Amino acid sequence: MRGWAVVEAGAPLQNVELPLPELTGEEVLVEVTHCGVCHSDLHIWEGSYDMGSRGKMSLADRGVTLPLAMGHEVVGKVVKLGPEAKGVSPGDMRVVFPWLGCGKCDRCQAGNDNLCAVAARSIGVFQNGGYATHVIARSPRHLVAFDGIRPEVAATYACSGITVYSAIRKVMPMPADRPIVIVGAGGLGLNAIEILKALGHKRICVVDVAADKLETAKQAGATDTVLAESEDTAARIIGACGGPVEAIIDLVNGTSTARFSFDALVKGGKLIQVGLFGGELSIPLPIMPTKAITIQGSYVGNPQELREVVALAQEGKLSPLPVTTEPASEVNNVLNRLKDGKVRGRVVLTAA
């Protein structure tokens, strides 16, 4: 197969030939037709994560090897089945669940592949992904039908959709009229608004540094918006929400967003950290027990959550994320636009 691969951190992706392993067990070969370009791809492409005072975590530290075709928001056509694969047929169009683990541990067997602590094998991170012509799904259980949904929209549910859905589930149930704060009004933020509305939530406050993105969020259904342009962002959030907040989902998760999110929490509040912008959060330790605050990480989602998000979309409860398509050959331009903050919603690459 061929793919647009990272061959050197930070350098332009190159169109190269990549190995296509033989299928074993329940594996399924999928020909990629659509692949979303995600902000987390930038961290892989750039080669490191900002760990604050602990320095950088490199690709090698995380176990990533090059060359690598990134891309984990994949829709494609089934073309070949492994000897034990059942339940799909060549020609079927499916969303591919990408967040694979070892496949054998208790967590993977329980359907929480994304929480595998043995060996991460995520598509587009630890094995070649949707920037290539083909990907390998571990099992038909990791393929989701999406009848009635445009493929370029369905692709976004494999990361953007399940990431915010899983994070939202960690703060639910909550009264529908009680504010939930979403930090970040990009693709993830817009999907978060849609999913909250689909779940019946009425009060959604969105925070961002860009006024135009906040306007888009308001058009999508945010009831309150806060421009994070100064040191008083926590106070602005509290003001917009009518008091300290019970639930904040930080889709950026940088030093400044983590701090103002923490400072805006009410007693017993939860901060769910999702983004990979990087940095660190320094907190006064007595506040944690005296305010009974919870800080919890949320890493993508599991196969069942992908099925549930797709079902919400099929029921007509999710308005499509703003999506534009570009041929895969434009991947370097797309990554640079995303890096420069010039992408609204999601860009999805299409096969030539």
Side-chain angles (χ1 to χ4, degrees), residues 79-115:
V79 292
K80 188 177 181 181
L81 278 63
E84 299 172 21
K86 298 177 181 178
V88 293
S89 302
D92 289 346
M93 293 291 293
R94 295 290 187 268
V95 183
V96 181
F97 175 79
W99 308 110
L100 306 178
C102 70
K104 300 177 181 178
C105 69
D106 290 346
R107 292 179 180 181
C108 288
Q109 290 297 308
N112 291 313
D113 310 63
N114 58 309
L115 299 181

Short mmCIF file of all heavy atoms in Angstrom, two decimals, residues 79-115:
data_model
loop_
_atom_site.label_atom_id
_atom_site.label_comp_id
_atom_site.label_asym_id
_atom_site.label_seq_id
_atom_site.Cartn_x
_atom_site.Cartn_y
_atom_site.Cartn_z
N VAL A 79 -12.35 -4.83 2.01
CA VAL A 79 -11.87 -5.49 0.79
C VAL A 79 -11.41 -6.92 1.01
O VAL A 79 -11.38 -7.71 0.07
CB VAL A 79 -10.73 -4.68 0.12
CG1 VAL A 79 -11.24 -3.38 -0.44
CG2 VAL A 79 -9.58 -4.43 1.07
N LYS A 80 -11.07 -7.28 2.26
CA LYS A 80 -10.58 -8.64 2.50
C LYS A 80 -10.75 -8.99 3.98
O LYS A 80 -10.58 -8.13 4.84
CB LYS A 80 -9.11 -8.76 2.10
CG LYS A 80 -8.55 -10.17 2.12
CD LYS A 80 -7.10 -10.18 1.62
CE LYS A 80 -6.54 -11.59 1.63
NZ LYS A 80 -5.12 -11.61 1.16
N LEU A 81 -11.08 -10.26 4.25
CA LEU A 81 -11.30 -10.72 5.61
C LEU A 81 -10.23 -11.73 6.01
O LEU A 81 -9.81 -12.57 5.19
CB LEU A 81 -12.68 -11.36 5.77
CG LEU A 81 -13.88 -10.45 5.99
CD1 LEU A 81 -14.11 -9.53 4.78
CD2 LEU A 81 -15.13 -11.28 6.27
N GLY A 82 -9.83 -11.66 7.28
CA GLY A 82 -8.95 -12.67 7.83
C GLY A 82 -9.67 -14.00 7.96
O GLY A 82 -10.90 -14.07 7.85
N PRO A 83 -8.94 -15.09 8.24
CA PRO A 83 -9.54 -16.42 8.24
C PRO A 83 -10.64 -16.63 9.27
O PRO A 83 -11.48 -17.53 9.11
CB PRO A 83 -8.34 -17.33 8.53
CG PRO A 83 -7.28 -16.44 9.13
CD PRO A 83 -7.50 -15.11 8.52
N GLU A 84 -10.69 -15.82 10.33
CA GLU A 84 -11.70 -16.00 11.37
C GLU A 84 -12.70 -14.84 11.42
O GLU A 84 -13.54 -14.80 12.32
CB GLU A 84 -11.01 -16.15 12.74
CG GLU A 84 -10.08 -17.34 12.82
CD GLU A 84 -9.26 -17.35 14.11
OE1 GLU A 84 -9.69 -16.69 15.09
OE2 GLU A 84 -8.20 -17.99 14.12
N ALA A 85 -12.62 -13.92 10.49
CA ALA A 85 -13.49 -12.74 10.51
C ALA A 85 -14.88 -13.08 9.97
O ALA A 85 -15.01 -13.69 8.92
CB ALA A 85 -12.86 -11.62 9.71
N LYS A 86 -15.90 -12.65 10.71
CA LYS A 86 -17.28 -12.87 10.31
C LYS A 86 -18.09 -11.62 10.62
O LYS A 86 -17.76 -10.86 11.53
CB LYS A 86 -17.88 -14.07 11.05
CG LYS A 86 -17.18 -15.39 10.77
CD LYS A 86 -17.80 -16.51 11.61
CE LYS A 86 -17.09 -17.83 11.37
NZ LYS A 86 -17.65 -18.92 12.22
N GLY A 87 -19.17 -11.41 9.87
CA GLY A 87 -20.08 -10.32 10.18
C GLY A 87 -19.99 -9.14 9.25
O GLY A 87 -20.82 -8.24 9.32
N VAL A 88 -18.99 -9.10 8.39
CA VAL A 88 -18.89 -8.08 7.34
C VAL A 88 -18.53 -8.78 6.04
O VAL A 88 -18.05 -9.91 6.04
CB VAL A 88 -17.84 -7.00 7.68
CG1 VAL A 88 -18.27 -6.17 8.86
CG2 VAL A 88 -16.47 -7.63 7.92
N SER A 89 -18.74 -8.07 4.94
CA SER A 89 -18.47 -8.63 3.62
C SER A 89 -17.72 -7.61 2.78
O SER A 89 -17.85 -6.40 2.99
CB SER A 89 -19.78 -9.00 2.91
OG SER A 89 -20.54 -9.91 3.67
N PRO A 90 -16.92 -8.09 1.82
CA PRO A 90 -16.26 -7.15 0.91
C PRO A 90 -17.28 -6.20 0.27
O PRO A 90 -18.36 -6.63 -0.16
CB PRO A 90 -15.61 -8.07 -0.12
CG PRO A 90 -15.34 -9.34 0.64
CD PRO A 90 -16.52 -9.50 1.55
N GLY A 91 -16.92 -4.92 0.24
CA GLY A 91 -17.82 -3.90 -0.30
C GLY A 91 -18.55 -3.12 0.77
O GLY A 91 -19.06 -2.03 0.50
N ASP A 92 -18.64 -3.67 1.99
CA ASP A 92 -19.30 -2.94 3.08
C ASP A 92 -18.53 -1.67 3.41
O ASP A 92 -17.30 -1.69 3.52
CB ASP A 92 -19.39 -3.80 4.34
CG ASP A 92 -20.39 -4.94 4.22
OD1 ASP A 92 -21.21 -4.92 3.28
OD2 ASP A 92 -20.34 -5.85 5.07
N MET A 93 -19.25 -0.57 3.61
CA MET A 93 -18.65 0.68 4.06
C MET A 93 -18.78 0.78 5.57
O MET A 93 -19.87 0.57 6.11
CB MET A 93 -19.32 1.88 3.40
CG MET A 93 -19.09 1.97 1.90
SD MET A 93 -17.36 2.36 1.47
CE MET A 93 -17.21 4.03 2.11
N ARG A 94 -17.68 1.10 6.25
CA ARG A 94 -17.68 1.11 7.70
C ARG A 94 -16.80 2.24 8.26
O ARG A 94 -15.83 2.66 7.64
CB ARG A 94 -17.15 -0.22 8.26
CG ARG A 94 -18.01 -1.45 7.95
CD ARG A 94 -19.30 -1.41 8.73
NE ARG A 94 -20.09 -2.63 8.60
CZ ARG A 94 -21.03 -2.82 7.69
NH1 ARG A 94 -21.30 -1.86 6.80
NH2 ARG A 94 -21.73 -3.94 7.67
N VAL A 95 -17.17 2.71 9.47
CA VAL A 95 -16.27 3.52 10.27
C VAL A 95 -15.36 2.56 11.02
O VAL A 95 -15.82 1.54 11.55
CB VAL A 95 -17.02 4.39 11.30
CG1 VAL A 95 -16.04 5.27 12.08
CG2 VAL A 95 -18.07 5.24 10.64
N VAL A 96 -14.07 2.88 11.07
CA VAL A 96 -13.09 2.01 11.72
C VAL A 96 -12.79 2.54 13.13
O VAL A 96 -12.34 3.68 13.28
CB VAL A 96 -11.78 1.93 10.91
CG1 VAL A 96 -10.78 0.99 11.59
CG2 VAL A 96 -12.07 1.47 9.47
N PHE A 97 -13.01 1.71 14.15
CA PHE A 97 -12.61 2.09 15.51
C PHE A 97 -11.08 1.98 15.60
O PHE A 97 -10.52 0.90 15.38
CB PHE A 97 -13.26 1.17 16.55
CG PHE A 97 -12.78 1.45 17.95
CD1 PHE A 97 -13.28 2.52 18.66
CD2 PHE A 97 -11.79 0.68 18.53
CE1 PHE A 97 -12.83 2.80 19.95
CE2 PHE A 97 -11.33 0.95 19.81
CZ PHE A 97 -11.85 2.01 20.51
N PRO A 98 -10.39 3.09 15.94
CA PRO A 98 -8.93 3.08 15.84
C PRO A 98 -8.15 2.84 17.12
O PRO A 98 -6.94 2.58 17.08
CB PRO A 98 -8.63 4.49 15.34
CG PRO A 98 -9.69 5.33 16.00
CD PRO A 98 -10.92 4.46 16.10
N TRP A 99 -8.82 2.91 18.30
CA TRP A 99 -8.07 3.03 19.55
C TRP A 99 -7.79 1.66 20.15
O TRP A 99 -8.33 1.28 21.19
CB TRP A 99 -8.83 3.93 20.53
CG TRP A 99 -9.16 5.24 19.86
CD1 TRP A 99 -10.38 5.69 19.48
CD2 TRP A 99 -8.22 6.23 19.43
NE1 TRP A 99 -10.28 6.90 18.85
CE2 TRP A 99 -8.96 7.26 18.82
CE3 TRP A 99 -6.83 6.35 19.52
CZ2 TRP A 99 -8.35 8.40 18.28
CZ3 TRP A 99 -6.22 7.48 19.00
CH2 TRP A 99 -6.98 8.49 18.39
N LEU A 100 -6.93 0.93 19.48
CA LEU A 100 -6.67 -0.47 19.82
C LEU A 100 -5.64 -0.63 20.92
O LEU A 100 -4.71 0.17 21.04
CB LEU A 100 -6.20 -1.22 18.57
CG LEU A 100 -7.11 -1.13 17.35
CD1 LEU A 100 -6.48 -1.88 16.19
CD2 LEU A 100 -8.49 -1.67 17.66
N GLY A 101 -5.82 -1.70 21.70
CA GLY A 101 -4.83 -2.10 22.68
C GLY A 101 -4.24 -3.44 22.28
O GLY A 101 -4.17 -3.78 21.10
N CYS A 102 -3.85 -4.23 23.28
CA CYS A 102 -3.23 -5.52 22.99
C CYS A 102 -4.23 -6.53 22.45
O CYS A 102 -3.87 -7.48 21.77
CB CYS A 102 -2.54 -6.06 24.24
SG CYS A 102 -3.71 -6.59 25.55
N GLY A 103 -5.51 -6.34 22.79
CA GLY A 103 -6.55 -7.25 22.33
C GLY A 103 -6.77 -8.45 23.22
O GLY A 103 -7.73 -9.21 23.00
N LYS A 104 -5.93 -8.64 24.23
CA LYS A 104 -6.01 -9.86 25.04
C LYS A 104 -6.23 -9.61 26.53
O LYS A 104 -6.70 -10.51 27.24
CB LYS A 104 -4.72 -10.67 24.86
CG LYS A 104 -4.47 -11.09 23.42
CD LYS A 104 -3.13 -11.83 23.29
CE LYS A 104 -2.88 -12.23 21.84
NZ LYS A 104 -1.56 -12.91 21.69
N CYS A 105 -5.90 -8.43 27.02
CA CYS A 105 -6.00 -8.17 28.46
C CYS A 105 -7.46 -8.02 28.88
O CYS A 105 -8.37 -7.96 28.05
CB CYS A 105 -5.20 -6.92 28.83
SG CYS A 105 -5.92 -5.39 28.20
N ASP A 106 -7.68 -7.94 30.20
CA ASP A 106 -9.04 -7.84 30.72
C ASP A 106 -9.76 -6.60 30.19
O ASP A 106 -10.95 -6.64 29.89
CB ASP A 106 -9.02 -7.80 32.25
CG ASP A 106 -8.61 -9.12 32.87
OD1 ASP A 106 -8.62 -10.13 32.14
OD2 ASP A 106 -8.29 -9.14 34.08
N ARG A 107 -9.03 -5.47 30.09
CA ARG A 107 -9.66 -4.25 29.62
C ARG A 107 -10.09 -4.37 28.16
O ARG A 107 -11.20 -3.97 27.80
CB ARG A 107 -8.72 -3.06 29.81
CG ARG A 107 -8.48 -2.71 31.27
CD ARG A 107 -7.53 -1.55 31.42
NE ARG A 107 -7.30 -1.21 32.83
CZ ARG A 107 -6.52 -0.23 33.25
NH1 ARG A 107 -5.89 0.54 32.36
NH2 ARG A 107 -6.37 0.00 34.53
N CYS A 108 -9.21 -4.90 27.33
CA CYS A 108 -9.58 -5.08 25.91
C CYS A 108 -10.73 -6.05 25.77
O CYS A 108 -11.67 -5.82 24.98
CB CYS A 108 -8.37 -5.57 25.12
SG CYS A 108 -7.08 -4.33 24.85
N GLN A 109 -10.69 -7.15 26.53
CA GLN A 109 -11.76 -8.15 26.44
C GLN A 109 -13.09 -7.58 26.93
O GLN A 109 -14.16 -8.02 26.50
CB GLN A 109 -11.38 -9.39 27.25
CG GLN A 109 -10.24 -10.20 26.65
CD GLN A 109 -10.60 -10.77 25.29
OE1 GLN A 109 -11.63 -11.43 25.13
NE2 GLN A 109 -9.76 -10.52 24.29
N ALA A 110 -13.02 -6.60 27.82
CA ALA A 110 -14.25 -5.97 28.33
C ALA A 110 -14.75 -4.85 27.42
O ALA A 110 -15.75 -4.21 27.71
CB ALA A 110 -14.01 -5.43 29.74
N GLY A 111 -14.03 -4.60 26.32
CA GLY A 111 -14.46 -3.57 25.38
C GLY A 111 -13.89 -2.20 25.65
O GLY A 111 -14.33 -1.22 25.05
N ASN A 112 -12.91 -2.12 26.55
CA ASN A 112 -12.26 -0.84 26.83
C ASN A 112 -10.85 -0.83 26.23
O ASN A 112 -9.86 -0.57 26.92
CB ASN A 112 -12.21 -0.58 28.34
CG ASN A 112 -13.58 -0.31 28.92
OD1 ASN A 112 -14.34 0.48 28.37
ND2 ASN A 112 -13.92 -0.98 30.00
N ASP A 113 -10.80 -1.08 24.93
CA ASP A 113 -9.52 -1.16 24.21
C ASP A 113 -8.68 0.10 24.41
O ASP A 113 -7.45 0.03 24.48
CB ASP A 113 -9.76 -1.36 22.71
CG ASP A 113 -10.74 -2.48 22.41
OD1 ASP A 113 -11.91 -2.38 22.82
OD2 ASP A 113 -10.33 -3.45 21.75
N ASN A 114 -9.33 1.25 24.48
CA ASN A 114 -8.62 2.52 24.60
C ASN A 114 -7.89 2.67 25.93
O ASN A 114 -7.01 3.53 26.06
CB ASN A 114 -9.59 3.69 24.42
CG ASN A 114 -10.73 3.69 25.42
OD1 ASN A 114 -11.41 2.67 25.59
ND2 ASN A 114 -10.97 4.80 26.07
N LEU A 115 -8.23 1.85 26.91
CA LEU A 115 -7.60 1.92 28.23
C LEU A 115 -6.60 0.79 28.46
O LEU A 115 -6.14 0.58 29.58
CB LEU A 115 -8.67 1.90 29.33
CG LEU A 115 -9.68 3.06 29.31
CD1 LEU A 115 -10.66 2.92 30.45
CD2 LEU A 115 -8.97 4.41 29.37
#
